[in-house]
Amino acid sequence: MGRATFTLLFLLLTAQTTLAALEGSGTEGSPYLIKTDTDWNEFASSITSATSYSGEYVKLDASISVTTMAGTSDDTRFCGTFDGGGKTITFNIDKSGEDAVALFRSIQSATIKNLNVAGSVTGKRHVAALVGTSFGAGNVINNCKVSADVTCTEKYMGGILGHGKSSGITISSCVFSGLLSGGAVEHMGVFYGWSDAAGEGCERSIVDCLYVMKSGQSTSVLDLVDKSGSTATFPVNSCL
């Protein structure tokens, strides 16, 4: 057996073993279930190992507390559907020297819905509580309640999404009630931090979202969306 063939078989077996650790088959009717922090760590590790979950479904089946990001670079992206089931992930992480720190490091053409996020997040740039960076068309964040405090040590910060990298996304029916803070942060958005210039397929909108300002929040550089990096229309509709 050649080395390339052996390596391919090893990677396939490793991916299958990782997925098998989660209950469920990844379909809409039988999603992969995350019931414990150990399950989350398995899920997060599989994304770091380049399992994208494209076309697959994952559901949170219990409230958990974690310290691990799902994915560790822009190249390891969650591309499936994650249903929080109304449960809460309490996420506490401090990576003040790293970019794109969030519960989901990076997503592409993904859906995240019905999820509550509490805790605290600290990062360098493109920092958020829920998603660090987004790619591709058709990303959806729906019915999520985010109360985690977010600290950015340099620039580009959002409560829900840190940095849209020429990607299309709709954030709808979401609430952010955390504290946004950091030293001399240049670009800060309550729902959406920084946005690259948009091209075809990169339509973005914020719809029916609510910001509940936390006591002690500085408003000097605060807006619902920092649109200064975008040359395209970015509607913010029915948001308070």
Side-chain angles (χ1 to χ4, degrees):
M1 181 183 295
R3 178 174 295 179
T5 302
F6 177 81
T7 301
L8 177 60
L9 287 173
F10 174 77
L11 290 174
L12 288 172
L13 288 171
T14 300
Q16 291 169 354
T17 300
T18 300
L19 297 182
L22 297 179
E23 180 182 335
S25 56
T27 64
E28 187 172 10
S30 178
Y32 296 119
L33 296 179
I34 295 177
K35 299 181 176 183
T36 65
D37 58 344
T38 300
D39 289 342
W40 172 266
N41 290 338
E42 290 283 356
F43 168 69
S45 177
S46 67
I47 294 176
T48 298
S49 300
T51 299
S52 72
Y53 294 88
S54 178
E56 296 188 300
Y57 295 79
V58 182
K59 186 172 183 178
L60 183 64
D61 202 43
S63 294
I64 57 175
S65 296
V66 302
T67 58
T68 306
M69 290 193 295
T72 54
S73 76
D74 280 351
D75 296 325
T76 55
R77 306 169 189 172
F78 176 71
C79 305
T81 296
F82 188 96
D83 185 352
K87 305 296 191 300
T88 300
I89 295 180
T90 300
F91 177 56
N92 290 293
I93 192 165
D94 185 346
K95 291 183 176 291
S96 58
E98 294 188 19
D99 292 348
V101 180
L103 182 65
F104 287 84
R105 170 62 168 76
S106 185
I107 64 172
Q108 178 173 333
S109 303
T111 294
I112 301 173
K113 60 183 181 179
N114 308 324
L115 177 62
N116 303 325
V117 181
S120 64
V121 179
T122 299
K124 183 179 178 182
R125 293 180 297 182
H126 315 307
V127 185
L130 185 53
V131 175
T133 56
S134 64
F135 294 83
N139 292 287
V140 172
I141 299 175
N142 174 253
N143 194 34
C144 292
K145 298 178 178 63
V146 180
S147 60
D149 294 337
V150 183
T151 300
C152 180
T153 61
E154 192 171 298
K155 55 185 177 180
Y156 312 134
M157 169 170 53
I160 292 176
L161 171 65
H163 184 182
K165 294 198 172 184
S166 299
S167 67
I169 188 164
T170 297
I171 301 175
S172 61
S173 302
C174 290
V175 178
F176 180 74
S177 59
L179 186 69
L180 297 170
S181 61
V185 178
E186 295 180 21
H187 303 286
M188 181 191 301
V190 169
F191 304 124
Y192 192 122
W194 179 255
S195 177
D196 288 351
E200 184 178 352
C202 294
E203 294 78 12
R204 294 156 295 184
S205 62
I206 313 293
V207 182
D208 292 327
C209 290
L210 176 66
Y211 173 42
V212 180
M213 186 178 293
K214 193 170 184 177
S215 177
Q217 176 66 64
S218 169
T219 60
S220 60
V221 287
L222 194 63
D223 201 350
L224 295 181
V225 177
D226 188 321
K227 296 180 283 188
S228 56
S230 175
T231 58
T233 301
F234 198 145
V236 180
N237 299 323
S238 303
C239 296
L240 297 172

